[in-house]
Amino acid sequence: MLNLILFGAPGSGKGTQSEKIIEKYGLVHLSTGDILRNEISNHTDLGLKAKAIMDKGELVSDEIVIGMIENKLESNKNAKGFIFDGFPRTVAQAEALDALMVSHKQTISIMVGLDVPKEELIDRLLKRGQESGRADDNLETIENRISVYQKQTSPVMSYYNEQKKLRLINGLGSIDDIFGRIVDVINKL
Ligand code: AP5
C-alpha cells in the first residue's frame, strides 16, 4: 500500500499534483480542505463553523479534522492507498494520523514536500482568486494562511524528517515537470 502525504504551503500545488498522482497510482484522495468546502456548500453546522475560520485563514480545530480523516479511512477500507492533501497541518494531527495508521495496520510511506517561494504562492493564489472567486484567495487572507503555515504547519516537516520520510522537491516549473519529480521520488520507494 502507498500512503503518501503531499505537503506544502497554500498554493504550492498540492491539489493540482494530487489529481495526477491519483490518476497514475489509483489512490484515494483525502483533502481536508475539499471536505470542509463540501460541508460549507451543504450548509451543515460544521460548514457554518468552518467557514468563519477558513475565511480568516486560520486552522479548523484538530479534533474536527482528525475525526473527518478517521471517517474517511473507515469508509475506504479496500483502498490501494491514500493521498493526504492539506493534512496533517499540526504536529498533533501528525501524531493522530500515525496512531490511526497503526490501528489500521498501515504506515505512512512518504511525505513529499513542495518547495515554492512566497512570492510565487501569492501570485498563484491571487490569480486563482480572480478566476474562481475562492473566498480565502484574497491578499489579506493569503498572507495569514502563509503565516499560519510557517508557524503551525511547517513543524510537521521536521516530524516526518525525523522518521526519514520527508522528500523535499522543487515546486517551481511546469505542472508536468513537477509531477515527474514526484514520480521519481515515489519510484525510489
Ligand atoms: P486547503 O484547501 O488545504 O488549502 P491550502 O492549503 O490553502 O491550499 P490550496 O488549495 O490553496 O493550494 P494547493 O497547495 O492545493 O495548490 P493548488 O494545486 O490548489 O485549506 C483551506 C483552509 O481549510 C485552511 O486555510 C484551513 O482553514 C482549513 N483546513 C484545511 N485542512 C485543514 C487541516 N488539516 N487542519 C485545520 N484546518 C484545515 O494550486 C493553487 C493555484 O496554483 C491553482 O490555481 C493552480 O492552478 C496553480 N498552480 C498549481 N501548480 C502550478 C504551477 N506549477 N505553476 C503555476 N501555477 C500552478
Side-chain angles (χ1 to χ4, degrees):
M1 232 172 139
L2 175 62
N3 294 311
L4 184 149
I5 298 171
L6 195 52
F7 192 80
S12 57
K14 302 181 294 294
T16 305
Q17 296 298 332
S18 286
E19 283 178 25
K20 298 179 79 67
I21 297 168
I22 291 156
E23 202 185 341
K24 186 170 171 70
Y25 296 97
L27 307 179
V28 172
H29 187 204
L30 296 186
S31 158
T32 40
D34 285 352
I35 301 170
L36 289 165
R37 279 184 290 277
N38 195 35
E39 295 282 338
I40 293 173
S41 344
N42 290 329
H43 305 286
T44 64
D45 286 348
L46 167 58
L48 261 176
K49 274 188 221 149
K51 184 171 173 16
I53 298 167
M54 290 164 78
D55 283 351
K56 285 188 274 178
E58 298 292 327
L59 295 183
V60 174
S61 81
D62 287 337
E63 199 190 349
I64 288 175
V65 289
I66 291 164
M68 287 175 355
I69 290 289
E70 200 168 0
N71 289 341
K72 291 283 176 186
L73 290 177
E74 277 301 317
S75 55
N76 286 282
K77 281 196 164 153
N78 296 323
K80 282 165 73 180
F82 294 93
I83 175 160
F84 297 93
D85 162 6
F87 179 91
R89 249 176 157 96
T90 61
V91 171
Q93 290 180 21
E95 287 167 349
L97 177 60
D98 276 356
L100 278 174
M101 288 278 111
V102 169
S103 69
H104 284 80
K105 299 190 173 47
Q106 293 292 324
T107 183
I108 293 298
S109 319
I110 191 170
M111 168 186 265
V112 178
L114 298 170
D115 188 22
V116 177
K118 185 176 175 183
E119 306 70 51
E120 172 74 9
L121 300 172
I122 294 174
D123 280 356
R124 287 182 189 178
L125 295 176
L126 283 178
K127 196 164 163 223
R128 184 176 62 188
Q130 284 159 3
E131 287 162 1
S132 78
R134 191 169 127 175
D136 56 350
D137 284 343
N138 61 78
L139 190 57
E140 192 186 346
T141 309
I142 292 168
E143 295 269 11
N144 194 41
R145 283 158 67 197
I146 294 172
S147 151
V148 166
Y149 168 79
Q150 285 162 346
K151 285 188 203 133
Q152 298 183 54
T153 303
S154 63
V156 176
M157 256 195 293
S158 312
Y159 178 89
Y160 284 101
N161 195 29
E162 277 164 25
Q163 297 184 17
K164 309 217 178 320
K165 290 182 177 169
L166 172 67
R167 307 286 183 276
L168 201 55
I169 66 160
N170 178 5
L172 282 179
S174 77
I175 289 167
D176 284 343
D177 283 350
I178 298 163
F179 181 59
R181 289 171 207 148
I182 296 174
V183 170
D184 283 349
V185 160
I186 294 174
N187 289 347
K188 280 190 191 135
L189 275 176

